[in-house]
Amino acid sequence: MYAPPDNTPRIGLALGSGSSRGWAHIGIIRELAEIGLEPHIVCGCSIGALVGASYAAGNLERLEDWVRALTRRELVRFFELNFSFNGFVAADRFRNFLHQYVCTEEVPIESLSKPFATVSTELETGREIWFTQGPVLHAVIASIALPGLFPPVPYQGRWLVDGGLVNPVPVSLCHALGAEVVIAVNLNGDIVGKHFRPPAPRNKSRDNQKNMLEVFITTLREYSPALFSTDKNTHSPPSLFEAIAGAINITQDRITRSRMAGDPPDALLTPRLSHIGLLEFHRAGEAIDEGRACVRRARSAIEHLLSALPRPS
């Protein structure tokens, strides 16, 4: 396992939850590396767990190449009709994606190049569950299991769901793993009250395409307007998915503020992502670029923080 020099403070990177906005983590990690900062410890919640695991496993470049090439039509293939209503994500396709761009099934957390951990939520009690050992993919899936998209994940006789319900930006987990300095990424700092926006105009020429994909898209529209634009009066009430997304945004914003007030990071990065919807994973390029821009805006503060740290003799 990776071990920094004894006289160098251990730097932790806490990657927060935020669904599709989480691709900004890729740009943040890239830009931090360019100013000479490589964290000793990485902790992630939800999408932060996915990106953090890919980084710790040495697959971040492959992940970035794939998400930048992701299109809206390709994204639709990750959703399926599920009449059990456990979730709408195609589990097999998603797991295959994790195998290719995060890590393979058998890789344990203990074998990664640096300490890594994820956070999840026990559904029955609301307890916070930390994954610091065991299979990386299980830790990621348990952390990213957003109700409505993914089914709850079984674990030691319990059911786990998305870690963002209890600890959206896992600063505390970084400290628990031994980080003396923590840089945190909050993806939800500017989204409350900004996630409802007029939809993009529909392409009328597509209305006559009645293949299976179009039928499926029509079925999903009520659940995911962030992915598929719909014609609607701007004064009509929010759709089901917009209401759920708004509730998640508000909850995570309030929990993040409360948790960081009691356990503040040494540096906080807040990319401006309110224009990206909860499921707009196909807008990865915008999110990654904003992640880089966020670090550039905070560069002087980060460099000041680094300059105050003891250097190896």
Side-chain angles (χ1 to χ4, degrees), residues 151-162:
V153 176
Y155 175 70
Q156 298 181 354
R158 295 170 286 178
W159 294 102
L160 305 183
V161 293
D162 196 296

Side-chain angles (χ1 to χ4, degrees), residues 21-96:
R21 294 181 282 267
W23 297 142
H25 290 315
I26 298 174
I28 286 170
I29 292 170
R30 293 285 196 206
E31 196 68 23
L32 287 176
E34 292 198 6
I35 64 175
L37 194 155
E38 181 178 351
H40 307 120
I41 295 165
V42 178
C43 295
C45 177
S46 197
I47 188 67
L50 188 155
V51 174
S54 182
Y55 171 52
N59 293 321
L60 191 65
E61 184 175 350
R62 293 182 64 209
L63 177 64
E64 179 175 0
D65 290 343
W66 187 85
V67 300
R68 281 188 178 274
L70 182 64
T71 65
R72 182 181 302 195
R73 183 171 290 272
E74 179 71 18
L75 180 58
V76 172
R77 298 172 61 204
F78 280 86
F79 294 84
E80 65 180 0
L81 291 176
N82 183 344
F83 293 103
S84 69
F85 294 104
N86 287 329
F88 283 102
V89 172
D92 290 343
R93 189 177 297 278
F94 181 69
R95 186 174 288 273
N96 183 59

Side-chain angles (χ1 to χ4, degrees), residues 5 28 80 92 107 121 124 126 161 167 186 193 203 207 226 229 238 254 291:
I28 286 170
E80 65 180 0
D92 290 343
V107 174
T121 305
E124 183 176 359
V161 293
N167 195 354
N186 179 15
N203 184 343
D207 289 346
S229 60
R254 298 300 183 264

Side-chain angles (χ1 to χ4, degrees), residues 57-296:
N59 293 321
L60 191 65
E61 184 175 350
R62 293 182 64 209
L63 177 64
E64 179 175 0
D65 290 343
W66 187 85
V67 300
R68 281 188 178 274
L70 182 64
T71 65
R72 182 181 302 195
R73 183 171 290 272
E74 179 71 18
L75 180 58
V76 172
R77 298 172 61 204
F78 280 86
F79 294 84
E80 65 180 0
L81 291 176
N82 183 344
F83 293 103
S84 69
F85 294 104
N86 287 329
F88 283 102
V89 172
D92 290 343
R93 189 177 297 278
F94 181 69
R95 186 174 288 273
N96 183 59
F97 156 74
L98 293 178
H99 286 173
Q100 293 186 63
Y101 302 104
V102 177
C103 68
T104 56
E105 187 81 48
E106 64 275 6
V107 174
I109 291 175
E110 300 91 321
S111 72
L112 296 176
S113 62
K114 58 187 66 185
F116 171 75
T118 74
V119 59
S120 187
T121 305
E122 185 179 352
L123 183 59
E124 183 176 359
T125 65
R127 288 181 54 209
E128 190 172 334
I129 304 296
W130 291 351
F131 286 88
T132 59
Q133 57 185 4
V136 173
L137 285 194
H138 186 75
V140 170
I141 292 170
S143 184
I144 206 168
L146 183 66
L149 292 182
F150 297 90
V153 176
Y155 175 70
Q156 298 181 354
R158 295 170 286 178
W159 294 102
L160 305 183
V161 293
D162 196 296
L165 299 177
V166 290
N167 195 354
V169 184
V171 175
S172 57
L173 184 50
C174 280
H175 283 145
L177 264 61
E180 299 165 272
V181 175
V182 175
I183 298 173
V185 183
N186 179 15
L187 302 175
N188 303 311
D190 72 335
I191 59 175
V192 173
K194 299 181 181 180
H195 53 280
F196 299 130
R197 60 189 187 282
R202 283 181 60 183
N203 184 343
K204 299 294 185 179
S205 65
R206 298 184 62 196
D207 289 346
N208 293 326
Q209 299 176 18
K210 297 300 182 181
N211 54 44
M212 290 184 65
L213 178 61
E214 291 302 314
V215 172
F216 180 55
I217 290 175
T218 300
T219 304
L220 283 180
R221 275 179 181 147
E222 179 61 25
Y223 294 94
S224 50
L227 281 176
F228 314 111
S229 60
T230 58
D231 289 328
K232 62 181 180 180
N233 190 305
T234 57
H235 299 292
S236 63
S239 70
L240 171 63
F241 193 85
E242 285 177 317
I244 292 173
I248 291 171
N249 290 341
I250 292 169
T251 300
Q252 292 194 349
D253 176 66
R254 298 300 183 264
I255 294 172
T256 300
R257 291 170 186 265
S258 176
R259 294 296 298 258
M260 288 198 299
D263 195 1
D266 297 275
L268 179 63
L269 300 174
T270 308
R272 299 165 182 168
L273 300 165
S274 62
H275 61 290
I276 297 179
L278 195 70
L279 291 184
E280 292 183 316
F281 291 97
H282 57 288
R283 299 178 67 180
E286 298 172 61
I288 293 170
D289 293 346
E290 170 54 23
R292 283 185 172 273
C294 174
V295 174
R296 289 194 292 268

